[in-house]
Amino acid sequence: MTSKTIGGKTIVGKTIVGAGLAVALLAAVAGTALADDTPELTELSPDGKDGCFGRIYDAAHLKLHPNQKVGRIFFYFGSDPVSPPNEEPSRGPSGYNGFLATTVRGAYKPEWVGGWCGKDGPQSGEIHCGMECDRTMALLNVDEKGRLIVSGVHRSLYLDAGAEDELGETEFSRQALGTEDDGFRLDRMPGETCKAEFARIDPVDPALGAPLRERLKPDQPFCYGRDYDAAHLGSHPDQLTHTIRVFRGPIELAAFAKDGETANWPDGADIEVSVTTRQSAVEVTQSYSCDGEADQWRCVASGTTSDFSCDIAAREIYLRRGANGTMMLANPNSSLPIVDLCSKAAEGETASDDKVYRLEPMPQAACAR
């Protein structure tokens, strides 16, 4: 089973959970959530707009149903209500039109899955919502009072296929839904209620602003950096970096204009990183080629700057948007030219205090070569 990413959420098998590698979705499920070629489900959306159903179980109900773990459950029919701003190029809509969020007792935020919902035929009264790997998210029916009956929910909804055998009975029971977590009866609610519920999953920090791929244009240069003063270096004796610059200039712009595709920005974007260290005031520059992955740019060291006696394809740094217009650079595995990238000092995790940098926007002249 492969991992997929939709809007910055990794799908392992069928569950959408955190950020990861981006791949294109199956063409069979392409299309907007409520596009013309999507079967109309008037039971869920009588007016053609988003549909929302939910229920929050009180203490009395949960006491009577000790094997029900779910305390809150919401079903949303419409476009993706979760995905935060991400750095991946736009790959079109997911085709998902049904989203289920549940919060178990004691949890502070929901888990969720997305799938595509439809009927087997025009005479069918039951709606089937499927997921990746030919799994079922739920079966839906609307009763005479307009309530949504959610059934067919498997205990391993948020686990990989085969988890029951792999985890063993005890661990599976701990991670899986309860034996009474099925046959939910949900009330129709305003669409905003569901959006607010799904917003609890991955709250967006407004201070972070727009993704880097929107802030940094493919045809415009940029320069970010930091100069560390004596006070900072004195309080961080294990930091090697004295100055650092991350930038795109005329050479990088010309390379992208020639070979890059604006629609796929930032995939294929070249950047340069220049550093000086405590030990040497001589500036060393290293080139990297970047791709958007979930909420970050993954930038791999390239040999265009100089010749290398080793394979530097595994030397990666990561760029993320920071608060109030800053840029965060992560260097978890010794991939900056503060050390020789082919030396033993560059093997394994970064040993020095040079793992994360908060960089400020600077005039382009500060990054001039």
Side-chain angles (χ1 to χ4, degrees):
M1 216 180 310
T2 58
S3 295
K4 300 177 183 292
T5 296
I6 301 177
K9 307 292 184 220
T10 303
I11 302 176
V12 183
K14 84 305 163 214
T15 306
I16 303 177
V17 291
L21 300 180
V23 295
L25 285 175
L26 298 177
V29 298
T32 58
L34 298 179
D36 293 340
D37 57 354
T38 301
E40 292 185 6
L41 299 177
T42 55
E43 303 95 324
L44 304 180
S45 176
D47 56 2
K49 297 180 180 179
D50 297 345
C52 174
F53 301 83
R55 184 168 179 183
I56 300 173
Y57 291 95
D58 58 25
H61 176 97
L62 295 175
K63 185 176 182 180
L64 290 173
H65 297 83
N67 294 317
Q68 178 180 325
K69 291 185 180 181
V70 171
R72 302 166 66 98
I73 177 170
F74 289 80
F75 179 84
Y76 182 72
F77 178 68
S79 55
D80 186 347
V82 176
S83 296
N86 68 80
E87 301 294 347
E88 297 169 10
S90 176
R91 305 188 189 280
S94 69
Y96 284 6
N97 58 7
F99 303 86
L100 185 68
T102 61
T103 307
V104 299
R105 306 186 196 209
Y108 68 93
K109 66 178 183 178
E111 292 183 279
W112 70 292
V113 288
W116 42 95
C117 302
K119 294 182 178 181
D120 292 335
Q123 304 304 318
S124 175
E126 188 171 65
I127 299 169
H128 177 268
C129 295
M131 302 185 298
E132 299 288 325
C133 299
D134 295 326
R135 299 180 68 187
T136 294
M137 179 170 72
L139 303 175
L140 309 178
N141 288 278
V142 177
D143 68 11
E144 67 282 357
K145 295 183 179 180
R147 294 173 299 190
L148 186 69
I149 311 302
V150 181
S151 60
V153 178
H154 198 276
R155 295 187 63 197
S156 61
L157 180 67
Y158 300 110
L159 301 174
D160 288 340
E164 192 167 1
D165 294 331
E166 294 175 3
L167 295 175
E169 183 178 349
T170 300
E171 185 62 18
F172 178 79
S173 295
R174 187 185 72 83
Q175 295 188 29
L177 295 177
T179 56
E180 292 187 82
D181 285 319
D182 198 13
F184 300 102
R185 195 177 300 270
L186 313 184
D187 296 317
R188 188 179 294 275
M189 296 183 173
E192 293 304 316
T193 302
C194 276
K195 291 179 180 179
E197 184 71 12
F198 280 89
R200 297 174 56 229
I201 295 168
D202 190 11
V204 176
D205 183 354
L208 296 180
L212 292 177
R213 66 179 177 86
E214 295 179 10
R215 287 161 41 183
L216 309 175
K217 306 301 183 183
D219 59 348
Q220 296 177 2
F222 65 73
C223 173
Y224 285 77
R226 184 92 178 262
D227 298 326
Y228 293 97
D229 58 24
H232 177 95
L233 295 175
S235 61
H236 296 80
D238 294 327
Q239 177 176 319
L240 303 179
T241 308
H242 186 202
T243 69
I244 182 170
R245 300 287 188 270
V246 178
F247 60 95
R248 291 180 78 233
I251 295 176
E252 292 72 41
L253 296 181
F256 190 83
K258 179 182 177 182
D259 299 320
E261 296 184 15
T262 302
N264 292 333
W265 173 259
D267 286 2
D270 294 333
I271 65 168
E272 304 288 331
V273 178
S274 295
V275 296
T276 65
T277 66
R278 292 174 186 257
Q279 292 75 23
S280 175
V282 176
E283 189 175 80
V284 179
T285 300
Q286 175 60 48
S287 300
Y288 299 81
S289 180
C290 302
D291 289 319
E293 286 187 359
D295 63 345
Q296 61 193 7
W297 291 16
R298 173 177 171 267
C299 303
V300 179
S302 68
T304 59
T305 305
S306 58
D307 294 329
F308 285 90
S309 60
C310 67
D311 181 7
I312 60 171
R315 303 301 184 205
E316 303 168 337
I317 61 173
Y318 302 89
L319 305 181
R320 291 186 178 181
R321 70 195 198 282
N324 304 314
T326 59
M327 175 190 288
M328 305 301 296
L329 186 154
N331 175 44
N333 293 306
S334 296
S335 300
L336 287 177
I338 53 175
V339 296
D340 181 347
L341 296 186
C342 291
S343 68
K344 287 190 174 294
E347 295 179 358
E349 296 181 0
T350 304
S352 63
D353 192 11
D354 298 85
K355 297 179 180 179
V356 179
Y357 303 79
R358 185 185 299 276
L359 308 178
E360 302 284 346
M362 290 185 165
Q364 199 65 26
C367 291
R369 297 173 185 171

